[in-house]
Amino acid sequence: MIYLDYSATTPVDERVLDSYCKVTREFIGNANSIHTLGVKSKELLLQATNQIAEILNCHPKELIFTSGASESNTTAIKGVAFKYVKRGRHIITSKLEHKSVLEVMGYLSNIGYKIDFVNILPNGQIDLKHLGELIRDDTILVSICAVNSETGFRQPLKTIRQVINKKNPNVIFHSDLTQALGKTKFYLSDLDLASFSSHKIYSPKGIGILYKKRDLQIDTLIYGTTENCPFRGGTPALPLIVSFAKGMRLINDKLDSNIKKCEKLKSELLKGLSKYPIQINSNDLCVPQIVNFSLLKIKSETFVHALERYDVYVSTTTACSSLEESTVLKAIANGDKSVSTTSIRVSLSHLTTMTEIHEFLEIFDKVWNELLLKWKK
């Protein structure tokens, strides 16, 4: 098997899985309980939270554990929209966002909020001049992802923050960092809110984080809050939280070397793809772990299933929108369907080998010629 869909989800690291099993067996108490078992669980919860806060360089009380990045995104956006509705109903986002952001924006639009989409430049970054022009006195939120999940486009978060502060310092800045964690460096000091997901960094599914700056208030979306869960009700998922902390430590320790390895893999992949009449959509501004290209003549879904016959796994858009036209490429390609409906995403990892890249290119050539011959007929 050649797995090249790491941006959709990653396999769980055995060391992380060991932590999950150990906590599940040995820490059965509810961290909200006051008895000895509960206190023991709470101490471990605080320890894991402190470890994550140290890695992210933030205060432990700025971390809210959720079920994943989709919940984090929803909580951040709706939480701000409902809390600051008296200040304004204007929100700015982009077509680069994950479906969980775009759909909540659609919901808010239906109930009276004004949603503006900032233009995207041909290089995949947002138009900072246009962003400045969009910001108004009644703007309450800007939500721009740090790394686009389909193409790997990176956004200059610090510069975005500077543009926001220059036009209206009261505007809250949220970023979906799901695809940034473990792929590139970032600084939470540039943000008010940020979303993360565990299963993108070789940890279990079902756990995410919403970073919320300490002095920022948002509306609670899940009630039943406690001291340990002040903004999101529920029993702390201790095995998952500890696993997330372990996964974050492991990925952070090798971040620089992992990035360098993926840069070499990406270079070899692009070299091999250069002989085909396809359009490479990822560029030098993208993270090295994601390579997106459009086949132009062959539907992406057809190509993905053809590769699957050879036990090769890639994707089209994001995992949550895999059968839909790419809104990202549609925006950048000015509606050219030959680009937005034929895109393939190959997502790499430090686990990927150079041998796998070479084998993928050999299989790609077979599938390309098979399908192109059918297309010509």
Side-chain angles (χ1 to χ4, degrees), residues 165-273:
N165 287 350
K166 185 177 180 181
K167 292 300 295 281
N168 184 350
N170 291 321
V171 173
I172 295 162
F173 183 21
H174 165 256
S175 183
D176 182 354
L177 298 184
T178 305
Q179 294 292 344
L181 186 63
K183 292 185 175 73
T184 188
K185 293 180 180 179
F186 54 82
Y187 303 94
L188 291 181
S189 57
D190 297 324
L191 303 165
D192 298 302
L193 295 158
S195 304
F196 301 95
S197 187
S198 174
H199 73 100
K200 306 294 186 181
I201 59 162
Y202 313 92
S203 300
K205 301 172 181 66
I207 182 73
I209 291 174
L210 174 61
Y211 159 78
K212 182 191 71 65
K213 190 173 286 187
R214 282 189 82 182
D215 58 354
L216 176 66
Q217 295 298 310
I218 60 174
D219 260 18
T220 298
L221 270 76
I222 298 181
Y223 294 92
T225 58
T226 64
E227 179 189 356
N228 296 321
C229 307
F231 284 93
R232 194 257 194 191
T235 301
L238 189 59
L240 291 173
I241 292 170
V242 172
S243 300
F244 201 170
K246 181 67 172 284
M248 202 174 285
R249 292 201 308 276
L250 292 173
I251 202 72
N252 188 64
D253 288 344
K254 295 289 185 71
L255 180 61
D256 290 336
S257 59
N258 288 347
I259 289 174
K260 288 179 181 178
K261 179 178 181 181
C262 288
E263 287 174 343
K264 292 179 181 178
L265 295 170
K266 179 179 180 179
S267 178
E268 188 70 11
L269 176 61
L270 290 174
K271 179 182 175 183
L273 292 174

Side-chain angles (χ1 to χ4, degrees), residues 93-97 118-128 144-157 160 279-287 292 327-334:
T93 189
S94 79
K95 295 290 187 181
L96 296 166
E97 308 308 308
V118 64
N119 292 337
I120 307 170
L121 299 173
N123 66 3
Q125 291 196 329
I126 66 164
D127 186 336
L128 294 170
I144 304 290
C145 62
V147 175
N148 172 255
S149 59
E150 293 181 37
T151 59
F153 291 139
R154 274 183 287 212
Q155 302 302 322
L157 300 183
I160 294 172
Q279 177 174 309
I280 305 296
N281 300 313
S282 300
N283 56 32
D284 292 339
L285 296 175
C286 296
V287 293
N292 186 290
T327 57
V328 176
L329 296 177
K330 185 177 180 180
I332 294 174
N334 295 317

Side-chain angles (χ1 to χ4, degrees), residues 19 22 25 71 87 89 105 146 152 196 224 228 241 273 289 297 301 305 312 318 324 331:
S19 293
K22 179 180 174 67
R25 286 193 300 264
E71 184 188 326
R87 185 190 295 177
R89 288 174 171 259
M105 293 297 179
F196 301 95
N228 296 321
I241 292 170
L273 292 174
Q289 297 88 348
K297 294 181 179 180
E301 183 184 352
H305 288 312
V312 175
T318 65
E324 301 173 11

Side-chain angles (χ1 to χ4, degrees), residues 85-102:
V85 64
K86 292 182 179 178
R87 185 190 295 177
R89 288 174 171 259
H90 183 233
I91 298 174
I92 300 169
T93 189
S94 79
K95 295 290 187 181
L96 296 166
E97 308 308 308
H98 186 263
K99 190 174 182 179
S100 61
V101 171
L102 296 176

